[in-house]
Amino acid sequence: MKKIINTTDAPAPIGPYNQAVLSGNTLYTSGQIALHPETMELVLDDIKTETKQVMENMKAVLKAADMTFENVIKTSIFISDMINFSQINEVYGSYFDEATAPARETVEVANLPKFVNVEISMIAVK
């Protein structure tokens, strides 16, 4: 059985998908980009600000499923330029306890939705 997770505290989906799906105790999130949930405008001031918006969006999705970053077991980070990795990693890392941080992959890609610089998705378990 699956439960659809959507919250107005994160950007509304811009296609035929939901913000997350809870299947049993496992939450599968869609990728989040730096859209501000109230204005649906991109937050692209700099890579750290962009990454922070992505993580805040993800935080809201996790909260809607009664979870936190402590529940995250796997993340996927897609970036448009590996030169930004250290700055993205710095912001991303501030949301986790390093000793219990999730598994992760980071992949450089040719393009991302709306030509943003970073997109992150997660899997979490209650």
Side-chain angles (χ1 to χ4, degrees), residues 29-51:
T29 73
S30 294
Q32 285 289 325
I33 60 175
L35 284 169
H36 190 280
E38 292 174 10
T39 65
M40 291 300 285
E41 296 292 323
L42 287 169
V43 178
L44 302 175
D45 302 337
D46 56 64
I47 192 62
K48 285 185 175 183
T49 304
E50 182 177 353
T51 304

Side-chain angles (χ1 to χ4, degrees), residues 88-100:
I88 292 167
N89 195 52
E90 180 182 333
V91 174
Y92 166 90
S94 71
Y95 286 82
F96 294 99
D97 176 352
E98 194 169 320
T100 59

Side-chain angles (χ1 to χ4, degrees), residues 2 11-12 15 26 55 63 71-72 85 89 98 100 105-106 108:
K2 70 180 183 180
T26 306
M55 294 300 287
K63 182 179 178 184
N71 296 99
V72 176
F85 175 78
N89 195 52
E98 194 169 320
T100 59
E105 73 252 338
T106 303
E108 180 180 82

Side-chain angles (χ1 to χ4, degrees), residues 77 79-88 106-109:
I77 302 176
I79 62 178
S80 63
D81 190 340
M82 199 56 80
I83 199 85
N84 292 323
F85 175 78
S86 63
Q87 292 179 68
I88 292 167
T106 303
V107 181
E108 180 180 82
V109 296

